[in-house]
Amino acid sequence: MKRLLAAALSMLFLLTMGCGTKTPPKDEKLSKLIIGLMPDTDSIPFIIAAERGYFAEEGVEVELVPFKSAMERDAALQSGNLDGAVSDLLAVIFARSGGFSLHATSYTDGNYNLIAGGNAGISSPADLHGKEIAISRNTIIEYVTDEILAVNGMGEQDVSKVVIPQIPVRLEMLQSGNLAAAVLPEPMASVAVASGSRYVTGSGDLGINPGVIVFSDASIQEKAASVRAMYRAYNKAVEYLNHTPRAEYIDLVMEKSGFPAPARDALELKPYRPAGLPAEKDVEEAVHWVKSKDLAGDYRYDDLVSKLLLEEM
């Protein structure tokens, strides 16, 4: 009887342990993910995870699709051609306001910087009065631009916003002297500075971080195991980037990212953080900006951010 009782208890223990596991069995087939990337440093961990085989190690197939503008990326998301993307909180708000179910699943670490043309006579934000600033409308770029203006006692009426959605075109026009200033993500901002433009200020100076990774609600619900596997691979890539000399990966990044050639020498990566949830402050400030422009209604943190995936990794 004692032997039978011990065996039963042992079996119960094993069953309980099995029910608590959060990692799918190795032989479980995970769904493929299609993820949109932008030409910025937030996309680099995905490139590393793909090229170093971290996605394959986690048993998930991930297709990476590059985009040159937020508009093109968002159209692909809303048409169902992407599961997720490197994006921002503004895009999440606009998508939900338009009836498309989307959530941010983690923050990203990119900076968005105001860069002035070398001959524009702009050395501080105060010099922006009456000058043209190239942006992309209703995106993280315009949000950062407005925050820069507000912190320095200005509004959009004090400058002339020029809408140039495609990031490479915005960079090219700044470098050619056709613009006084532009707000650019990294590494495009550093490329501009390396070619003679001037750094003025940016999101890092303001302490704002509205960049996020997003997934459609359909993918969160139907491919949760795949997304968690993707994040495990993403964190491996972050660990690699943070502890590997730049020379060992820069050629690979240049080959796969679509960055302009000068980025090879200009790009300086700051340490990446492992995947985590966006700060409530960042979400509240993004919602406040959208409401102030009458672009969308009020949203709470849980309306925009999914906690499920990182809690179950």
Side-chain angles (χ1 to χ4, degrees):
M1 180 63 71
K2 289 182 179 180
R3 289 182 180 178
L4 289 173
L5 180 59
L9 289 173
S10 176
M11 181 63 69
L12 178 62
F13 173 78
L14 290 173
L15 288 172
T16 302
M17 291 295 290
C19 290
T21 184
K22 296 175 182 177
T23 302
K26 289 295 184 183
D27 57 353
E28 181 180 330
K29 178 69 173 178
L30 296 178
S31 300
K32 176 182 176 179
L33 295 176
I34 304 176
I35 298 175
L37 303 185
M38 297 295 287
D40 59 33
T41 53
D42 286 338
S43 297
I44 292 178
F46 286 96
I47 294 170
I48 294 297
E51 296 303 315
R52 290 191 60 81
Y54 297 147
F55 291 136
E57 287 179 6
E58 295 298 335
V60 61
E61 181 183 357
V62 178
E63 179 182 349
L64 303 177
V65 182
F67 293 89
K68 293 181 179 180
S69 75
M71 185 184 302
E72 295 167 340
R73 174 203 64 202
D74 294 345
L77 268 170
Q78 296 187 32
S79 65
N81 290 322
L82 298 176
D83 292 294
V86 171
S87 186
D88 59 79
L89 289 167
L90 291 311
V92 179
I93 296 170
F94 292 135
R96 296 193 67 81
S97 180
F100 181 69
S101 297
L102 187 74
H103 275 81
T105 51
S106 68
Y107 50 61
T108 56
D109 289 304
N111 284 327
Y112 305 86
N113 298 327
L114 174 65
I115 308 298
N119 298 317
I122 299 172
S123 58
S124 72
D127 299 324
L128 293 170
H129 276 281
K131 301 291 178 62
E132 291 184 340
I133 304 177
I135 63 162
S136 53
R137 181 71 74 184
N138 296 339
T139 66
I140 190 172
I141 297 297
E142 186 175 23
Y143 170 64
V144 171
T145 302
D146 284 356
E147 292 296 299
I148 290 171
L149 294 174
V151 166
N152 290 277
M154 291 182 283
E156 59 181 354
Q157 72 278 1
D158 296 310
V159 299
S160 177
K161 291 180 178 177
V162 180
V163 179
I164 303 176
Q166 291 202 341
I167 297 169
V169 177
R170 206 181 312 151
L171 171 64
E172 182 181 345
M173 290 188 67
L174 179 69
Q175 290 176 310
S176 64
N178 291 318
L179 293 168
V183 176
L184 296 165
E186 289 292 355
M188 301 304 188
S190 291
V191 169
V193 172
S195 66
S197 298
R198 181 194 297 267
Y199 172 85
V200 180
T201 187
S203 59
D205 298 330
L206 302 179
I208 59 175
N209 185 31
V212 292
I213 295 168
V214 303
F215 279 89
S216 69
D217 284 7
S219 295
I220 290 173
Q221 293 162 8
E222 299 167 11
K223 301 182 180 182
S226 295
V227 178
R228 290 195 292 269
M230 181 221 78
Y231 270 118
R232 291 193 294 271
Y234 177 94
N235 284 343
K236 288 181 180 180
V238 165
E239 182 74 9
Y240 171 84
L241 287 164
N242 289 347
H243 296 91
T244 303
R246 178 182 182 278
E248 294 189 21
Y249 60 77
I250 189 61
D251 288 337
L252 172 64
V253 168
M254 291 302 301
E255 177 187 352
K256 300 296 181 178
S257 66
F259 295 163
R264 190 188 188 286
D265 296 325
L267 179 61
E268 293 185 11
L269 293 181
K270 296 179 180 179
Y272 287 93
R273 294 173 292 172
L277 295 177
E280 291 199 22
K281 177 185 79 73
D282 291 325
V283 174
E284 291 169 358
E285 290 176 353
V287 170
H288 175 75
W289 181 79
V290 171
K291 287 176 61 180
S292 72
K293 299 178 79 69
D294 294 324
L295 294 172
D298 199 8
Y299 289 93
R300 297 171 299 131
Y301 185 87
D302 290 343
D303 295 329
L304 305 176
V305 178
S306 169
K307 299 177 182 178
L308 174 67
L309 302 178
L310 296 183
E311 289 175 351
E312 296 189 358
M313 278 177 62

